[in-house]
Every structure is written in structure tokens, then in C-alpha cells.
Amino acid sequence: MDSVTTLDTVANLKPIARDRLTLVETEFEAIQQLPMGQVGTVLEIYEGEELCYLVEFADLAGREYAMAVLTPDEVLPLRYELLLAS
């Protein structure tokens, strides 16, 4: 899998349950889960027993609405340029 670094753009590969989310905007408090495919930004990388990422999810206006700690198998790094194998 591609390596993920701080400030990388990622998408979640699995729905994220409400109890794993920190919701920032009150208008989103009623959601039960964050559906798969939401785009977020990696804010922190935690390298302990298990590698995980703090991901911030924001709308198109840049308003943060949720944060979650995700494992590598729950994120897909998004790339804007083609990376060719050498």
C-alpha cells in the first residue's frame, strides 16, 4: 500500500461508526455513521503498537465536520498525479 504522510488526502474505505467520530458541527450530530468514500486530510500519524491516522473530514467550503482515528486498511490515499513504478 502507498505510504501515507501528514496532510495527505485520503478517502475512507469503510463506513465509520458514530462512536468513533468526533463531530465538530452541531448540524451533523444526528448522523449514525460516516459513509465510505468521504474525503479527508491526515492531520497526525500515530506510530505505536498499531499504525493509525487522525483524519479530518471537511465540506467543500473547508468547514470541518468530523474527525476520526483510522487504521491503514480503512483509508485510501488519493493522488493527483500518476506515480509510475521504476
Side-chain angles (χ1 to χ4, degrees):
M1 170 168 232
D2 290 339
S3 64
V4 174
T5 61
T6 304
L7 300 181
D8 274 357
T9 303
V10 297
N12 60 309
L13 291 171
K14 303 173 182 177
I16 304 167
R18 169 68 174 91
D19 64 347
R20 294 184 59 206
L21 295 172
T22 300
L23 296 174
V24 179
E25 295 290 332
T26 55
E27 65 191 84
F28 296 105
E29 288 180 357
I31 69 170
Q32 295 303 305
Q33 68 179 9
L34 197 63
M36 65 183 261
Q38 297 303 118
V39 176
T41 303
V42 176
L43 298 182
E44 295 282 339
I45 298 173
Y46 304 119
E47 296 182 29
E49 270 184 44
E50 183 179 339
L51 177 67
C52 53
Y53 311 108
L54 175 62
V55 179
E56 172 191 71
F57 296 93
D59 63 17
L60 288 174
R63 290 184 315 150
E64 175 190 7
Y65 59 85
M67 294 176 67
V69 176
L70 304 176
T71 59
D73 67 323
E74 294 178 304
V75 299
L76 172 69
L78 302 178
R79 305 290 182 224
Y80 295 99
E81 296 182 20
L82 179 61
L83 300 175
L84 299 175
S86 46

